Amino acid sequence: MSAVADKYQQLQDLGVEVFSASVDSHFVHKMWNDHELIKMVDGGIPFHMLSDQAGNIGRAYGVWDEAQGIELRGRFIIDPDGVIQAMEVLTPPVGRRIAETIRQVQAFQLVRASGGAEATPAGWMPGDIVLKPGPDLVGNVWKVWKPDMEK
Amino acid sequence: MADQPEGCARVTGAVLGDPSSEPAEPPATQEPVKEERMTARVGQKAPDFNAPAYYKGSFTNVQLSDYFGKWILLCFYPGDFTFV
């Protein structure tokens, strides 16, 4: 979670509110923050650390692991209408890449701002060309976008 | 944000509007209970919930829908004091 905390200001600048959740109590969250995370992030974790000891929320989001009694590494991007736009679920040993989450937020924000008129091709980064789906683009994507444009 | 009074009860998150995470009443009949749960999917409304939280030195409560209107990043992870 310290990786997300480290990019918290950038997420705030994009208008994103962050929540972390696990099956630990909020008391344990405090201890983890005070004794370890604060040594990795100046000032400690800046967002709400949610407690879901019974796994109720994890079940609703499909990340509850019954056998282990834990929540899998699930990451959800929710838009201002409360609609889930993206989800990524990893098993515990591999961490996420926060830069990819931020890229996806920027892409979804661009699509939303265009009212759905624009779409971002594979590998899109802010500033790259966007696609404007419509009759003229059918069969012509090759003219404006090629796989080697993905950096 | 003010601290909330803390008891010794084991508090947990609860999904709102989902009967399966609310206290169940004993079934009146012997009919099998149909398992119906909200499941998160892209393009669908995010399941709303209420959960106790630690936030910058305080204990508080979060209802997800209070934050609708903003973009939200919700990250689950296996546990505090784990290694990744």
Side-chain angles (χ1 to χ4, degrees):
Chain A
M1 293 325 306
S2 55
V4 180
D6 192 54
K7 294 287 182 290
Y8 182 69
Q9 190 53 53
Q10 191 180 353
L11 288 159
Q12 286 275 287
D13 292 346
L14 289 168
V16 181
E17 206 54 60
V18 180
F19 301 95
S20 67
S22 77
V23 295
D24 303 282
S25 71
H26 47 324
F27 307 130
V28 178
H29 287 334
K30 175 177 174 7
M31 286 295 114
W32 191 32
N33 177 72
D34 293 356
H35 291 276
E36 185 170 43
L37 297 176
I38 203 161
K39 292 166 184 150
M40 303 189 230
V41 183
D42 275 351
I45 295 295
F47 47 77
H48 290 84
M49 303 176 78
L50 311 180
S51 169
D52 186 28
Q53 294 189 84
N56 291 325
I57 303 169
R59 277 187 204 91
Y61 281 80
V63 298
W64 170 251
D65 185 310
E66 187 76 46
Q68 299 184 74
I70 54 138
E71 285 167 349
L72 301 168
R73 235 174 256 291
R75 180 223 70 185
F76 298 81
I77 298 173
I78 300 167
D79 76 12
D81 295 324
V83 172
I84 299 171
Q85 292 294 344
M87 56 197 278
E88 176 187 55
V89 184
L90 308 178
T91 53
V94 172
R96 290 177 277 254
R97 181 167 160 80
I98 183 66
E100 172 60 9
T101 298
I102 291 171
R103 186 195 76 85
Q104 287 182 18
V105 167
Q106 289 171 315
F108 283 114
Q109 289 185 339
L110 178 144
V111 169
R112 186 180 172 91
S114 78
E118 294 178 340
T120 62
W124 178 88
M125 295 290 289
D128 288 355
I129 65 138
V130 296
L131 303 178
K132 296 183 172 56
D136 296 342
L137 191 62
V138 178
N140 287 322
V141 172
W142 62 275
K143 290 180 181 171
V144 291
W145 184 83
K146 292 184 175 59
D148 64 8
M149 290 168 72
E150 178 172 348
K151 294 175 192 87
Chain B
M1 208 166 298
D3 277 16
Q4 304 219 333
E6 288 295 336
C8 289
R10 186 172 158 93
V11 288
T12 186
V15 175
L16 300 173
D18 177 7
S20 64
S21 76
E22 282 161 22
E25 292 195 8
T29 65
Q30 288 304 306
E31 279 178 48
V33 181
K34 219 169 107 191
E35 185 80 354
E36 266 188 46
R37 286 192 188 281
M38 298 197 267
T39 306
R41 289 183 60 187
V42 291
Q44 305 283 324
K45 196 89 172 173
D48 195 13
F49 59 77
N50 212 299
Y54 173 70
Y55 180 60
K56 296 205 280 196
S58 296
F59 297 126
T60 179
N61 232 285
V62 166
Q63 184 166 333
L64 185 74
S65 53
D66 287 347
Y67 295 86
F68 287 174
K70 296 191 72 174
W71 289 83
I72 295 169
L73 177 60
L74 175 62
C75 296
F76 295 87
Y77 61 98
D80 294 351
F81 293 105
T82 56
F83 308 104
V84 177

